[in-house]
Amino acid sequence: MKPEFFDRLFNYFSWGCSILLVGAVLTIVGFLIANGYQSLNLHLIFDDTRPLDAIFLKSQVFDGLFPAIAGTLFLITLSIIVAIPLGLATGIFLAEYCPPKIKGSFSLLFDILAGIPSIVVGLFGFCVTIFLHHYFYTRLFPCLLISALSLAFLVLPYIIRTTQISLETLPLSVRLTAPSLGATKLQNIFYVLLPSSLSGILSGIILSIGRCAEDTAVIMLTGAVATAGIPKSVFSSFEALPFYIYYISSQYSDNSELMKGYGACLILLFICISLFVFAHWIKKRLSQKILYRP
Amino acid sequence: MDVKETIFKSVFFAASILSAGITLFILGFMIVLALPILKQGLFFDMLTGPWAPDHGLFGLGPMIIGTICIALMALVISFPVSLGCSFFIGILNPRGLGKWLKKIIESMTAVPTVIYGFVGIFFLVPLVRELFLKGSGMCILSAAIMLSILISPTMILFFVQSFSMVPQNDLNAVDALGGNTAQKFFYVVLPHSWKGMLTGIILSFGRAMGDTLIALMISGNSVAFPGSVLDSARTLTAHIALIIAADFDSIEFKTIFLSSIFLYIMTSFGIIMSRFSFKKRKTINET
Amino acid sequence: MPMTENIKINIKNLWFYYNDHPILEDISLEIPQNTITAVTGPSGQGKSTFLMTLNRLWESIEETRIKGHIEIRFGSDFQNIYDKRYNVSDLRRQVGMVFQVPNPLPMSIYNNIAFPLKLKGENNKTLGSFRVEDALKRSFLWDEVKDRLNEDARALSGGQQQRLCIARALVLNPQVLLLDEPTSSLDDKSGRVIEDLLLELKKDCTMILVSHYLDQVKRIADSGMVLSDRQMKQQW
Ligand SMILES: Nc1ncnc2c1ncn2[C@@H]1O[C@H](COP(=O)(O)OP(=O)(O)OP(=O)(O)O)[C@@H](O)[C@H]1O
Ligand SMILES: [Mg+2]
């Protein structure tokens, strides 16, 4: 057969697949926008409450997305607060202290943790709660805290791995500068190595935030509910944007509720894509621009 | 000063032990909770048998079949498309468009799965129902299509990365000998990159198996053994999400621990395999 | 023995390995006080590695091993620098190092120079700024940067950066200064400035200078060594 024939086939195939995939993505986004753009307004979020009143918790929002958005924010904050120190410390240990022999097994474990389906992590969180409820503290139920802790485990491997890799890929010249000036290992880590790998670590953290924002499987097992209002403490159940979307998709009673579902999808999609773009921007710019001021 | 060094080192070490411990503890805890049914020696019956609680049958067979069918089918749909897209990005790259396609695909990784599920219900399911004029449209096919979109970024990014590891010299050599693109692919690119591609495939399969929301929302969740791709099916992950509301001490509930163990072991196995192929490839590059 | 009075560094039977692969083989050497000793030799022979054995910096690199004995005279006594009880940070404060490629840290000019003081835990601000100024003056950089001490150090030119790194090494008043091709990334003129600077420093420091430029070596070094085939040979 003629070689040009293959070349052309190859060409068509590549173009065809690319157009197909991009088309699918555009269809998904377009479908959401086409159906949901009308519902995108303050009323969707705050219902009939005045936005400022809602934000300062003066009055409750009953029929808007505000509690779900707030719940998602609380959730992200809590889990990141848990995951960052743990992940950073572990990443530092792996990159700077871990003997090569056990490094392999540690890394494997964290890869496995990253691969565990999130519903399994959710089930784990649920069972631990039930266990504690039975044996230690009967007033403990699935709640914001449990969800946040489970999510923290879910994103932990991302933070660990980005920290480890950012540290390990620092050039030797950066690594040796502070020790040559009399720095101890710890001083080197805190004064030079961590600041130098900040952009990598930060983008890892932002991607983890995105993961916390979008995960549904974990929270539906560990305390997310359809109506809870703004959570009063970490021990109360809560609403979250992705869970709301799931809930609406199966339980909507009329068209206006469905419209709110579309609106919620758009908001969530916007949050996640923005976080992603932000992470990439940081990765690219922070090292060059913000730290380097010519 | 030395005391501070030691304290921090111990803190870092403790954090690592904690993080690693959690990973193992998840598996351990699930096994302990599943012990009551594991003890009865029904392990294999449960993995293969049918699910009929009314008749006292709590087999996970349909769910395992459902999981594998949906994940495999997603892989089958996604693989050629991903291959084409990675050709586009990594080999063809017409007028620098590859870079843009890559950006789009990277940002696809940020799309929440619940959104795929949502669009699946309200767009794809009606479409499938109209097209095939059979059932509700909530079926293996619908779930697999949505999942294939979900996993394609993983696969494409791995493919592109392995293509980029092909030495430029070898590519130039083929060009110099007047080889065409297809020859270049089969004789140079594939031998260098198939292991990385395999890693991508394994990890995407794991991702397809581990996803809950898409299957839960659009595969119909029927507990019968599926007969065709237009049949409804239930995945293990969806099973966990659905049974969680049951009584904690019931046998039904115990089966979800078994599901978890199965999922945990399958994904871990995939990761170990992918690591293995990754290691091998590295040593090849070094020599 | 009047000779030992003048000896600053005493190296005996030094072996060095990367991944069990010998780089330095049985090197013995005595380096007199307040001199510049030049080390030349082909690329990749272990010149940088040799310098790193003198401040134990290789210990931060994986899969390395050393054998042998190195003593440096601080005050009147020789100190075995590989003694277990000897603190490596103290050693590196006495034995400064300037790298092949200037390596300013991502902070201001002032903070770069003050960084070793901070590491040492010296918090006296006035004394600190006095020492920073002194170091910058000794490295002929003060006039060029005195009005922009708060700017990012990486905005300086290559030659300025290299003098900054020298100033940073000088701020702790080291007795020994290890210089790894300090002029290799500079043009002739900036190189000359650094050469003058080194000659000036001879009264305070004992220096070991790795250099590729034979004319430079001839201009400023008191003795010349060649490192090749894992051996160190005296040239003059
Ligand atoms: N981290 C390392 N791991 C393994 N081998 C190394 C490492 N660093 C250097 N080497 C090897 O040790 C040898 C000596 O390196 P070194 O940097 O000391 O050479 P050099 O004489 O300073 O060369 P140049 O003049 O190019 O700076 C080289 O062959 C190099 O390949
Ligand atoms: Mg060198």
Side-chain angles (χ1 to χ4, degrees), chain A residues 119 142 212 219 237 282 291 294:
Chain A
I119 190 109
C212 289
I219 59 173
S237 49
I282 281 196
L291 290 181

Side-chain angles (χ1 to χ4, degrees), chain C residues 191-210:
Chain C
R192 285 300 178 104
V193 175
I194 297 211
E195 285 175 22
D196 293 342
L197 161 63
L198 298 185
L199 287 172
E200 191 64 30
L201 283 175
K202 232 162 83 165
K203 60 179 194 293
D204 310 317
C205 286
T206 306
M207 278 169 277
I208 302 182
L209 168 73
V210 169

Side-chain angles (χ1 to χ4, degrees), chain A residues 172, chain C residues 16-19 21-24 41-52 61-64 100 180-181 210 212 227:
Chain A
L172 198 60
Chain C
F16 190 87
Y17 307 83
Y18 273 122
N19 311 319
H21 181 78
I23 302 290
L24 305 174
S43 180
Q45 293 291 320
K47 300 184 295 294
S48 307
T49 311
F50 173 68
L51 290 189
M52 285 197 280
I61 304 175
E62 275 166 28
E63 314 224 19
T64 46
Q100 201 158 354
D180 195 350
E181 304 189 42
V210 169
H212 272 309
L227 181 65

Side-chain angles (χ1 to χ4, degrees), chain C residues 173-228:
Chain C
N173 291 317
Q175 305 190 17
V176 177
L177 197 54
L178 310 172
L179 300 136
D180 195 350
E181 304 189 42
T183 61
S184 66
S185 53
L186 307 180
D187 58 74
D188 271 357
K189 195 158 153 274
S190 326
R192 285 300 178 104
V193 175
I194 297 211
E195 285 175 22
D196 293 342
L197 161 63
L198 298 185
L199 287 172
E200 191 64 30
L201 283 175
K202 232 162 83 165
K203 60 179 194 293
D204 310 317
C205 286
T206 306
M207 278 169 277
I208 302 182
L209 168 73
V210 169
S211 173
H212 272 309
Y213 307 107
L214 275 182
D215 46 338
Q216 176 181 61
V217 168
K218 291 260 157 67
R219 271 198 303 274
I220 60 172
D222 299 287
S223 72
M225 302 281 174
V226 178
L227 181 65
S228 71

Side-chain angles (χ1 to χ4, degrees), chain C residues 79-138:
Chain C
Q79 168 71 48
N80 171 8
I81 64 167
Y82 285 99
D83 190 332
K84 288 236 162 50
R85 281 158 304 177
Y86 192 55
N87 184 310
V88 65
S89 293
D90 281 345
L91 171 73
R92 289 172 188 164
R93 290 186 185 116
Q94 311 260 26
V95 182
M97 185 165 199
V98 177
F99 291 81
Q100 201 158 354
V101 180
N103 54 350
L105 290 163
M107 43 178 95
S108 71
I109 296 173
Y110 183 91
N111 286 342
N112 255 284
I113 313 286
F115 189 60
L117 301 172
K118 179 175 166 186
L119 292 177
K120 203 177 165 189
E122 285 183 7
N123 296 322
N124 188 332
K125 280 265 158 58
T126 28
L127 188 62
S129 70
F130 172 74
R131 292 175 70 172
V132 168
E133 182 177 335
D134 181 54
L136 281 169
K137 279 179 176 158
R138 284 164 74 196

